[in-house]
Amino acid sequence: VVLDWDEAPKDLDAHFVKEGAYHISFRDMKTLADGKGQLDRDDMDAYGPETITLAEISSKGVYEYFVHDFSNQHTTSSKALSESKATVKVFGEGKLLNVFQIPQGKKGTVWKVFSMRNGGIVEVNTVR
């Protein structure tokens, strides 16, 4: 999963959560104990990319991917995230599977991009 964005805000953070198991983000970049995922790159000075690589996805697992505007984390009424031109690309099986664009004109610091259930990607695409 690859996140990139424009010049502002400077620091957006990718998060990938497997319900009941792990939360990959800048706080825990290391390869997971099972060796199946890691944050490859934490970008803190704009543009990205910020990438998370997962070697395996369980068809029975429930996953969520979201982006947090770390630069404006204390200003929930900010539109900076929505104006960031952020794009998330999901790759798998040797190809590009999905592309998500940040919704424009929304207030908030968290972009819930997609979830994964039963092995499929479900678009969420909301900012709060």
Side-chain angles (χ1 to χ4, degrees), residues 27-81:
R27 287 189 174 101
D28 192 5
M29 296 175 58
K30 300 176 293 209
T31 301
L32 301 174
D34 62 8
K36 296 181 181 174
Q38 69 184 35
L39 176 67
D40 303 305
R41 184 169 190 274
D42 180 25
D43 185 272
M44 297 179 285
D45 59 2
Y47 300 106
E50 189 150 314
T51 62
I52 293 177
T53 301
L54 298 156
E56 183 178 309
I57 296 288
S58 168
S59 62
K60 295 178 183 175
V62 176
Y63 303 87
E64 180 179 83
Y65 179 88
F66 64 93
V67 176
H68 180 237
D69 178 356
F70 191 79
S71 294
N72 296 291
Q73 63 183 318
H74 301 295
T75 312
T76 56
S77 63
S78 172
K79 288 187 178 180
L81 175 59

Side-chain angles (χ1 to χ4, degrees), residues 81-102:
L81 175 59
S82 188
E83 295 168 353
S84 69
K85 299 181 183 170
T87 301
V88 170
K89 295 176 183 159
V90 182
F91 295 89
E93 303 166 1
K95 62 186 176 188
L96 178 63
L97 299 175
N98 291 84
V99 177
F100 300 96
Q101 300 284 334
I102 184 86

